């Protein structure tokens, strides 16, 4: 398998958890860059070209509330979980934990 | 800052009007935060090289715009196969229509030569192709958006209704061809109803006055074919009875063609300018009915072989 193909598979795997990561990180108010830092610090590498459009999409879907605030002399758009986003996060977290347990079993068996 | 503004403006160029200001504002804020984290001051000329490198690393402005405001295609990807088929069939109809009207036009102008014919045909196709494409695309867009296309493509099913292992699929492309051919034939038979008077009077051919009853007979046959073709578009595979009906259709066409071959000419030259074409037209149709019947016999034989395998 080529390195490029492998890289694409890894990206696909990461893409699946990004929504969960973003919703989880937005339990507290975050703006674009702070959210990216938060997720990067947790160990998930995400580039700005992927994250920023994603958080706008989640806001359009009603999962995040947003408002513009002036901080440090600059306008920033802050995002936070909405009620719908909170319910979705709870559901996705349960799904993720279930998947995690299944994968541990599968991968454990393979070893 | 000018370079940053140019980049944001370039992205804005590709954004829908209603979202432009909001996305530009957010994009600028995000880029300024990224620059700050890298220690790059967009307003400082000494940082312009670093700013250039940073912006170069961002994606092309059009891609950025697409990621912020995705544009959805007029025709869904899963419908593209059918869309292409219908566009190609439509082009074929345009060419045939253009050939027919070009022939009439050139004979009336007494200027029949191959190059003039080709140019008039191409010009006619060019004039009408835009309307055709807009019509087909708009139909697909609205049918796709309403969910009707998806319902037609994925109807409700159960394992019992799945085709048997020896099933022969009905080609959608052939079904569409049959519908278009029948509609075209009906339009040709009833040109007085839809063609304007001037164009109608310039046509070279018309049905012979003593054969007018054949307009009704052929209309009945073609209407039956059209209904059958539309029905076949709703089916996915042949059954014995549906293929039997299809074969019966061909047998009716063969009978009609052989009957017309034995009768006086159905089509005559009714344009005084083109009377010198009368012997040629008569020859074409005399042999044409027979050749057509022969071709249909071959097709019918092939369909009967398939029918026996069902």
């Amino acid at each position: 398998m080529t390195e490029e193909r492998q890289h694409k598979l890894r990206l696909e795997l990461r893409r699946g958890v990004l929504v969960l990561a973003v919703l989880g990180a937005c339990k507290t108010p975050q703006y674009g860059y702070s959210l990216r830092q938060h997720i990067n610090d947790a160990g998930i590498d995400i580039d700005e070209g992927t994250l920023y459009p994603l958080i706008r999409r989640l806001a359009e879907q009603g999962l995040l509330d947003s408002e513009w605030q002036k901080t440090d002399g600059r306008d920033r758009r802050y995002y936070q979980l909405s009620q719908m986003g909170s319910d979705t996060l709870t559901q996705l977290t349960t799904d993720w934990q279930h998947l995690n347990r299944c994968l541990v079993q599968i991968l454990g068996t393979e070893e | 800052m000018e370079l940053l503004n140019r980049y944001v403006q370039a992205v804005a160029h590709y954004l829908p009007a209603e979202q432009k200001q909001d996305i530009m504002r957010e994009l600028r804020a995000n880029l300024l935060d990224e620059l700050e984290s890298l220690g790059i001051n967009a307003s400082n000329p000494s940082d312009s090289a670093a700013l250039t490198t940073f912006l170069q690393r961002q994606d092309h402005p059009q891609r950025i715009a697409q990621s912020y405001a995705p544009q959805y295609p007029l025709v869904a990807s899963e419908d593209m196969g059918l869309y292409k088929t219908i566009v190609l069939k439509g082009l074929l109809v345009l060419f045939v229509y253009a050939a027919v009207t070009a022939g009439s036009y050139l004979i009336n102008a007494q200027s029949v030569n191959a190059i003039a014919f080709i140019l008039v045909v191409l010009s006619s196709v060019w004039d009408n192709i835009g309307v055709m494409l807009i019509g087909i695309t708009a139909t697909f867009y609205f049918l796709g958006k309403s969910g009707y296309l998806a319902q037609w493509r994925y109807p409700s099913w159960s394992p019992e209704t799945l085709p048997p292992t020896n099933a022969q699929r009905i080609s959608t492309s052939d079904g569409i061809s049959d519908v278009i051919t029948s509609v075209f034939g009906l339009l040709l038979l009833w040109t007085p109803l839809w063609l304007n008077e001037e164009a109608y009077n310039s046509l070279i051919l018309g049905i012979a006055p003593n054969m007018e009853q054949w307009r009704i007979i052929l209309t009945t046959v073609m209407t039956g074919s059209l209904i059958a073709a539309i029905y076949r578009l709703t089916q996915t595979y042949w059954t014995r009875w549906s293929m039997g009906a299809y074969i019966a259709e061909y047998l009716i066409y063969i009978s009609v063609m052989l009957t017309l071959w034995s009768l006086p000419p159905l089509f005559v030259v009714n344009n005084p300018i083109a009377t010198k074409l009368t012997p040629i037209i008569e020859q074409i149709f005399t042999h044409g009915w027979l050749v057509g019947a022969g071709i249909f016999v071959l097709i019918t034989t092939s369909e009967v072989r398939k029918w026996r395998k069902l």
Side-chain angles (χ1 to χ4, degrees):
Chain A
M1 169 168 296
T2 64
E3 216 173 287
E4 191 193 332
R5 182 74 192 126
Q6 197 165 58
H7 179 65
K8 278 186 178 161
L9 287 173
R10 294 178 67 194
L11 276 178
E12 257 180 63
L13 178 65
R14 241 201 310 255
R15 204 172 288 136
V17 302
L18 277 180
V19 170
L20 181 55
V22 167
L23 292 179
C26 283
K27 282 187 234 174
T28 54
Q30 305 277 351
Y31 60 94
Y33 181 74
S34 73
L35 181 60
R36 183 167 164 237
Q37 279 298 105
H38 188 115
I39 294 173
N40 278 348
D41 290 344
I44 300 176
D45 193 21
I46 179 169
D47 64 82
E48 61 271 33
T50 304
L51 177 65
Y52 299 149
L54 173 62
I55 50 178
R56 276 190 68 94
R57 226 166 20 252
L58 294 175
E60 281 164 15
Q61 289 168 3
L63 299 175
L64 300 174
D65 293 324
S66 70
E67 63 171 358
W68 285 93
Q69 290 176 20
K70 206 169 185 92
T71 51
D72 301 329
R74 265 221 310 272
D75 278 339
R76 290 186 171 102
R77 190 173 185 175
Y78 281 77
Y79 292 91
Q80 193 172 9
L81 271 186
S82 65
Q83 184 55 52
M84 192 197 306
S86 181
D87 297 338
T88 304
L89 175 60
T90 306
Q91 182 61 57
L92 288 180
T93 305
T94 308
D95 291 346
W96 166 255
Q97 285 162 348
H98 170 72
L99 282 170
N100 203 29
R101 282 194 296 274
C102 296
L103 276 171
V104 164
Q105 206 175 338
I106 293 168
L107 297 172
T109 308
E110 289 298 316
E111 289 172 1
Chain B
M1 190 64 81
E2 198 236 338
L3 203 54
L4 180 67
N5 290 337
R6 281 165 62 186
Y7 183 79
V8 172
Q9 199 64 40
V11 172
H13 176 71
Y14 299 103
L15 292 172
E18 64 275 11
Q19 293 180 281
K20 196 176 289 207
Q21 291 305 320
D22 191 51
I23 292 174
M24 277 173 71
R25 191 182 177 193
E26 190 165 354
L27 176 63
R28 187 193 307 279
N30 291 335
L31 288 173
L32 284 170
D33 283 333
E34 293 283 339
L35 287 167
E36 192 182 273
S37 74
L38 293 169
I40 301 171
N41 185 343
S43 305
N44 189 344
S46 62
D47 282 348
S48 65
L51 176 61
T52 303
T53 308
F54 170 80
L55 290 175
Q56 191 76 51
R57 260 204 342 259
Q58 307 305 308
D59 219 334
H60 188 282
Q62 190 171 3
R63 279 223 182 95
I64 296 287
Q66 173 70 8
S67 67
Y68 273 91
Q71 300 297 307
Y72 296 103
L74 291 171
V75 179
S77 55
E78 56 265 29
D79 295 327
M80 279 309 290
L82 182 63
Y83 177 76
K84 280 185 210 169
T85 300
I86 291 185
V87 166
L88 286 172
K89 304 288 181 192
L91 268 176
L92 190 61
V93 168
L94 273 188
F95 267 104
V96 172
Y97 171 76
V100 167
T101 51
S104 299
Y105 169 76
L106 289 173
I107 285 172
N108 277 314
Q110 299 187 47
S111 169
V112 183
N113 68 70
I115 294 175
F117 180 75
I118 291 168
L119 286 173
V120 173
V121 167
L122 288 176
S123 167
S124 172
V125 169
W126 184 254
D127 283 343
N128 293 302
I129 197 168
V131 171
M132 183 196 81
L133 285 174
I134 289 170
I136 293 173
T137 307
T139 304
F140 267 82
Y141 174 71
F142 287 112
L143 287 179
K145 206 172 162 191
S146 68
Y148 180 77
L149 270 180
Q151 279 177 30
W152 175 69
R153 215 183 311 112
Y154 307 118
S156 60
W157 69 284
S158 66
E160 293 82 23
T161 61
L162 288 174
T165 50
N166 64 341
Q168 296 172 43
R169 294 228 164 237
I170 298 178
S171 161
T172 307
S173 172
D174 287 349
I176 293 168
S177 290
D178 290 344
V179 168
I180 290 174
T181 307
S182 300
V183 169
F184 195 64
L186 286 168
L187 286 173
L188 279 180
L189 280 174
W190 293 98
T191 45
L193 293 182
W194 58 273
L195 211 52
N196 66 54
E197 196 178 335
E198 191 189 337
Y200 180 70
N201 290 334
S202 69
L203 289 177
I204 312 166
L205 296 176
I207 292 184
N210 58 334
M211 299 286 276
E212 268 297 329
Q213 71 278 14
W214 277 94
R215 198 193 296 269
I216 307 297
I217 296 168
L218 291 174
T219 299
T220 309
V221 171
M222 285 198 184
T223 305
S225 289
L226 177 60
I227 294 169
I230 292 171
Y231 172 75
R232 282 196 296 276
L233 281 178
T234 67
Q235 305 300 301
T236 47
Y237 61 94
W238 292 104
T239 60
R240 280 186 76 88
W241 84 260
S242 64
M243 187 169 271
Y246 191 54
I247 291 168
E249 224 179 290
Y250 271 106
L251 290 173
I252 290 171
Y253 273 113
I254 291 167
S255 313
V256 163
M257 286 182 176
L258 289 175
T259 307
L260 287 172
W261 172 67
S262 66
L263 290 175
L266 174 67
F267 294 108
V268 293
V269 174
N270 57 8
N271 189 322
I273 296 172
T275 47
K276 62 183 174 184
L277 291 176
T278 301
I280 304 167
I281 300 283
E282 280 182 4
Q283 287 291 311
I284 289 172
F285 277 99
T286 302
H287 298 304
W289 293 128
L290 199 57
V291 168
I295 292 170
F296 275 28
V297 164
L298 290 173
I299 295 172
T300 308
T301 311
S302 163
E303 297 298 328
V304 167
R305 276 200 214 107
K306 288 183 202 167
W307 179 76
R308 289 174 69 179
K309 286 181 191 169
L310 289 172

